[in-house]
Amino acid sequence: MRILIAGASGTIGGHLVTQLVARGHEVVGTTRSAAKTGALRALGAEPVIVDALDPDSVADVVAKAEPEVIVHQLTALSGASTMRQVKRMASATNRLRTEGTDHLLAAARAVGVRRFVAQSNSLWMERSGGPVADENGRIEPNPPADAEAAVAALRHVEDAVTGITWADGIVLRYGCFYGPGTGLSAAPDAVMTEQIRKRKFPIVGSGRGVWSLVHITDAASATVAAIERGRTGIYHVADDDPAPVRDWLPYLARTLGAEPPRRVPAWLARRLAGKGAVDMMTRARGISTGKTKRELGWNPQYPSWRTGFTDGLS
């Protein structure tokens, strides 16, 4: 198939391009930066520069590419190390998940795209219920005030994409990425890894928040499966071992040769990082992937973060 990946130079983009090209697909990859076109071309994609917040720019690129499938992986979350940078990138990502989604959908409909696959994530599953949610679970309807914009943007992506009637509209709720090219890898400049090594990524409060994690190559292979075989709806993409932060974070620190993470009371973390961050650390729910395995025939290479952290960070 001819596939356009919006955000091909992002965290998952390179892995996704590599796997799609290896399977014989023709890939067009968008980027905001001319400096990244060479890397995309080296991976086998046809690079194009686009401003995803400019509807005319998006329409022009999609019309020229004439893809059968569009994959929406647009975010602005890369390399942030300060709270100010995080807030700025989160705001830009919210726009990409709202305005950017709408521009891509309009362009996709105009050229007759038959499948549209979009990125969501699992950190804001509804806080009621057990520790793990299946694909029927919904996004948290009443998030903390400082997370409302981000959660609303995720909800917009999910509702807009699964609501289309002219093509298969597929949403992938990913677990937390780790592995090469992510913020959680063996690379010395990986942001989250650096924070853990410096003991700046603490266990907040009880640390009972359950996170689902996924190796980046597994995330890409699930995306390929959705592109090739998916149908309208939501699929979960994570390993088989959802776990509380208080379990996986110390294990990761040991794997990295770092000191154990500090523990910070929830009241103090609320002052320093906000209610949203505390909520994710103490109330998050993991996800199950039964539908993804059953309908897409997908299984992760790293079924647990325990082996993923020891064997797959580099």
Side-chain angles (χ1 to χ4, degrees), residues 210-293:
V210 175
W211 287 31
S212 284
L213 298 105
V214 62
H215 193 277
I216 192 66
T217 58
D218 285 331
S221 68
T223 308
V224 171
I227 290 168
E228 294 180 343
R229 298 184 291 279
R231 294 292 182 265
T232 293
I234 293 173
Y235 294 90
H236 284 176
V237 180
D239 69 18
D240 301 330
D241 194 10
V245 176
R246 65 187 180 188
D247 290 349
W248 65 260
L249 185 54
Y251 187 97
L252 175 57
R254 289 195 300 272
T255 302
L256 294 171
E259 294 293 318
R262 291 188 171 92
R263 287 185 173 267
V264 174
W267 65 265
L268 178 58
R270 287 189 192 97
R271 291 185 180 181
L272 297 174
K275 293 182 179 179
V278 173
D279 192 281
M280 285 192 291
M281 284 287 202
T282 59
R283 301 182 66 225
R285 299 171 70 202
I287 53 173
S288 63
T289 59
K291 176 183 175 183
T292 307
K293 292 177 178 178

Side-chain angles (χ1 to χ4, degrees), residues 11-285:
T11 299
I12 193 174
H15 299 275
L16 185 53
V17 169
T18 299
Q19 292 189 24
L20 287 170
V21 170
R23 292 179 65 82
H25 298 295
E26 187 176 357
V27 180
V28 178
T30 80
T31 179
R32 292 173 292 174
S33 170
K36 296 180 179 180
T37 57
L40 286 174
R41 187 175 290 107
L43 293 175
E46 174 188 338
V48 292
I49 299 172
V50 66
D51 178 357
L53 297 177
D54 179 346
D56 293 332
S57 176
V58 173
D60 182 61
V61 163
V62 172
K64 290 178 179 176
E66 296 184 319
E68 298 167 73
V69 180
I70 288 181
V71 184
H72 176 7
Q73 296 284 356
L74 294 166
T75 72
L77 303 173
S78 63
S81 58
T82 68
M83 190 60 65
R84 180 175 296 179
Q85 288 174 320
V86 169
K87 289 181 178 179
R88 184 173 65 248
M89 290 182 178
S91 178
T93 296
N94 293 343
R95 290 191 66 194
L96 290 169
R97 286 175 172 159
T98 52
E99 298 170 48
T101 297
D102 292 346
H103 300 336
L104 280 170
L105 284 172
R109 185 172 189 176
V111 301
V113 162
R114 60 187 178 88
R115 187 165 292 154
F116 191 103
V117 181
Q119 176 189 131
S120 183
N121 73 60
S122 65
L123 281 173
W124 284 105
M125 298 303 298
E126 187 172 14
R127 297 318 194 211
S128 62
V132 177
D134 65 18
E135 289 86 351
N136 293 319
R138 61 176 181 168
I139 297 294
E140 169 58 38
N142 298 299
D146 59 345
E148 283 182 351
V151 176
L154 287 175
R155 188 178 296 110
H156 181 89
V157 171
E158 296 196 359
D159 291 348
V161 173
T162 59
I164 63 177
T165 58
W166 39 267
D168 286 314
I170 298 166
V171 168
L172 303 179
R173 286 181 183 150
Y174 295 106
C176 179
F177 293 154
Y178 70 92
T182 73
L184 181 49
S185 72
D189 58 346
V191 174
M192 190 172 171
T193 300
E194 182 182 18
Q195 290 177 330
I196 292 170
R197 285 179 169 142
K198 293 181 178 179
R199 304 186 77 195
K200 292 182 177 180
F201 196 97
I203 297 172
V204 174
S206 65
R208 291 179 182 174
V210 175
W211 287 31
S212 284
L213 298 105
V214 62
H215 193 277
I216 192 66
T217 58
D218 285 331
S221 68
T223 308
V224 171
I227 290 168
E228 294 180 343
R229 298 184 291 279
R231 294 292 182 265
T232 293
I234 293 173
Y235 294 90
H236 284 176
V237 180
D239 69 18
D240 301 330
D241 194 10
V245 176
R246 65 187 180 188
D247 290 349
W248 65 260
L249 185 54
Y251 187 97
L252 175 57
R254 289 195 300 272
T255 302
L256 294 171
E259 294 293 318
R262 291 188 171 92
R263 287 185 173 267
V264 174
W267 65 265
L268 178 58
R270 287 189 192 97
R271 291 185 180 181
L272 297 174
K275 293 182 179 179
V278 173
D279 192 281
M280 285 192 291
M281 284 287 202
T282 59
R283 301 182 66 225
R285 299 171 70 202

Side-chain angles (χ1 to χ4, degrees), residues 288-312:
S288 63
T289 59
K291 176 183 175 183
T292 307
K293 292 177 178 178
R294 183 174 63 253
E295 295 189 8
L296 302 184
W298 173 81
N299 279 287
Q301 177 184 352
Y302 295 99
S304 172
W305 45 267
R306 298 175 190 276
T307 52
F309 288 168
T310 55
D311 301 337

